[in-house]
Amino acid sequence: MKSNGVNTRCVHAGGYRDKISLAINTPIYASTAHIYPNEADELRYPRYHNLPTMTAVARKIAMLENAEEGLVFGSGMAAITTVLFAFMKKGDHAVFQSGLYGGTQSFVMHEMGQYGFEVDIIDSTNVEDYNKAIKDNTVLVYIESPTNPLMSIMDLAAVAKMARERSILSVIDNTFATPVNQSPIDLGIDVAVHSGTKYLNGHSDVNCGAVVTSKKLMVPIYDCFTHLGAVLDVHACYQLERGLKTLGLRVARQNENGMRIAKYLDGNDRVKQVYYPGLESHAGHEIAARQMRGFGGMLSFELDSDKAGAKRFEQALKLITPAISLGGVETILTFPCETSHAKLSKEERKRQGITDSLIRLSVGIEDISDLQDDLEQAIKAI
Ligand SMILES: *Cc1c(COP(=O)(O)O)cnc(C)c1O
């Protein structure tokens, strides 16, 4: 089904039809105990990720990402940490991009050393800087694109090529772009991870994660997964599969709304700066235009005001809600200095370009006129 369009794959790929119920939806098989021996000669158990409710949704995500195999997890962080544990052993070195998702950054900076893993964090979007950081014991390079909250863009094909040439693995967190907007595997990246909590599920009601890769690379990831045990419950697997059916529609709308809001804010004289890869003024625009099919629903902006003014703006909003997380159908807002980047020092935040008045929007699927009206009346309240 790889050759089908993205919306067709969202609806049909991976779906499991039960011959007894004749249901068109994948059934929720809520059993931890399964008969053995059986015809398939398989020991079925949820933590082995071999119940049809799980494999159906994992298959759907793999087919959306044009990958050979997929695995679903109890959270995005479970997917990320399992991949790192699968490929790294004591004394190995890995190269990470700076400005990754806060939980990943915190794991890399504060925990990986405890396991004897060596890390380097590269504050650059230039692939050559990553190449320079590779040592004899380097096993992988790990990136995100676009990043949170300034939407920095990495050249995926260039990272993949460099990793191949240096015989290391390339891993990307594809949460922000989604498989609708960006196909890392097609660009040569070895492993893509997701916080399914965000766009994949898309309704702000399931904590989950996913990994997609080749058959060969899935072997160590799967082994590690069965040991660490970050399994996604079958009920949540069902919800995730249901959410995925509208991923293409949701993201198409979010691309459209994201672009409209970015342009609206960019043209407003009370707005100092907008960070959105769809704007030509964005540093990563050219690469993003080459490797993405849409620019997504995530953007950040700086009002021409101080923190108090930004807070007045926030409080004046009627529709757009301050809330943690992203990628749902509703438009929500955060101050990265209070949320994703709260644990960094003020100096470190400033160095990364994250001011106290920077606002991040996760644009939903509402009517654009309502979103614009809300922004407009709140900007007047600054
Ligand atoms: C939310 C998020 C994660 C972590 O996912 P959880 O599902 O919360 O564990 C990882 N990466 C990115 C880019 C995220 O936005």
Side-chain angles (χ1 to χ4, degrees):
M1 208 176 282
K2 180 174 165 174
S3 55
N4 277 332
V6 70
N7 290 298
T8 308
R9 276 177 285 153
C10 282
V11 176
H12 294 286
Y16 177 84
R17 295 236 169 120
D18 178 68
K19 290 190 184 71
I20 294 171
S21 70
L22 303 179
I24 66 162
N25 291 325
T26 303
I28 301 167
Y29 292 103
S31 189
T32 52
H34 296 79
I35 294 163
Y36 92 100
N38 53 45
E39 273 171 39
D41 199 22
E42 188 175 21
L43 297 175
R44 287 248 166 104
Y45 190 60
R47 186 165 45 74
Y48 298 163
H49 197 287
N50 56 6
L51 311 191
T53 319
M54 286 169 182
T55 52
V57 67
R59 187 91 210 109
K60 191 186 287 291
I61 296 169
M63 289 173 94
L64 285 169
E65 285 279 26
N66 294 336
E68 286 175 357
E69 305 243 319
L71 210 53
V72 290
F73 291 74
S75 70
M77 282 309 297
I80 291 162
T81 51
T82 299
V83 166
L84 294 173
F85 279 120
F87 292 117
M88 295 191 75
K89 56 185 194 314
K90 202 171 160 185
D92 282 347
H93 172 252
V95 179
F96 293 85
Q97 183 181 349
S98 74
L100 296 174
Y101 171 73
T104 312
Q105 266 193 72
S106 167
F107 181 72
V108 170
M109 288 176 358
H110 307 305
E111 279 188 53
M112 286 187 73
Q114 294 176 28
Y115 302 104
F117 304 151
E118 279 179 46
V119 300
D120 265 311
I121 299 171
I122 311 299
D123 191 13
S124 164
T125 52
N126 184 341
V127 179
E128 193 41 39
D129 294 326
Y130 292 74
N131 194 19
K132 279 189 208 136
I134 292 169
K135 309 192 282 191
D136 288 344
N137 59 340
T138 307
V139 293
L140 65 88
V141 56
Y142 183 108
I143 59 162
E144 270 178 33
S145 186
T147 60
N148 179 41
L150 300 178
M151 312 300 142
S152 297
I153 301 291
M154 287 290 297
D155 184 334
L156 269 56
V159 171
K161 182 165 176 280
M162 183 271 295
R164 289 263 147 94
E165 281 169 7
R166 305 295 305 267
S167 304
I168 63 167
L169 294 175
S170 52
V171 182
I172 188 175
D173 183 331
N174 204 30
T175 300
F176 270 37
T178 83
V180 178
N181 284 337
Q182 180 165 278
S183 301
I185 302 288
D186 288 347
L187 295 169
I189 298 283
D190 293 307
V191 181
V193 298
H194 277 278
S195 169
T197 314
K198 316 297 169 50
Y199 288 100
L200 297 187
N201 178 63
H203 293 74
S204 309
D205 57 2
V206 178
N207 212 176
C208 58
V211 171
V212 298
T213 187
S214 64
K215 256 191 173 62
K216 182 167 166 241
L217 291 176
M218 192 56 98
V219 174
I221 299 172
Y222 176 77
D223 282 347
C224 193
F225 168 89
T226 61
H227 296 146
L228 296 179
V231 68
L232 186 65
D233 173 73
V234 286
H235 299 86
C237 285
Y238 173 79
Q239 274 183 291
L240 175 58
E241 197 197 340
R242 185 171 64 177
L244 279 164
K245 290 180 186 180
T246 56
L247 178 71
L249 286 178
R250 285 186 279 109
V251 172
R253 174 66 163 228
Q254 281 157 324
N255 287 341
E256 212 176 290
N257 281 355
M259 185 65 106
R260 295 278 293 272
I261 289 179
K263 283 188 174 159
Y264 164 75
L265 290 171
D266 199 40
N268 191 302
D269 55 12
R270 299 304 308 269
V271 177
K272 206 156 55 185
Q273 173 124 35
V274 182
Y275 300 92
Y276 184 68
L279 296 178
E280 278 172 29
S281 56
H282 191 274
H285 174 70
E286 216 173 290
I287 295 169
R290 203 181 330 129
Q291 69 188 14
M292 299 178 80
R293 289 176 289 270
F295 299 107
M298 298 302 302
L299 63 95
S300 290
F301 62 101
E302 192 91 56
L303 291 167
D304 192 13
S305 182
D306 54 5
K307 173 92 190 239
K311 282 282 161 192
R312 283 194 295 279
F313 165 82
E314 178 197 35
Q315 275 146 25
L317 289 165
K318 295 191 170 88
L319 190 62
I320 299 170
T321 315
I324 307 259
S325 199
L326 61 103
V329 291
E330 59 284 304
T331 301
I332 57 175
L333 153 165
T334 61
F335 283 82
C337 72
E338 295 173 347
T339 56
S340 55
H341 293 70
K343 284 189 185 150
L344 301 179
S345 65
K346 201 173 162 123
E347 290 71 46
E348 179 55 23
R349 277 200 300 270
K350 197 169 167 208
R351 206 187 55 73
Q352 295 189 14
I354 296 156
T355 65
D356 285 352
S357 54
L358 184 77
I359 295 170
R360 188 196 74 184
L361 277 186
S362 169
V363 179
I365 63 168
E366 301 94 333
D367 292 286
I368 188 67
S369 54
D370 294 329
L371 293 175
Q372 253 177 38
D373 288 352
D374 198 28
L375 290 168
E376 184 140 343
Q377 61 85 21
I379 285 173
K380 285 196 182 119
I382 301 172

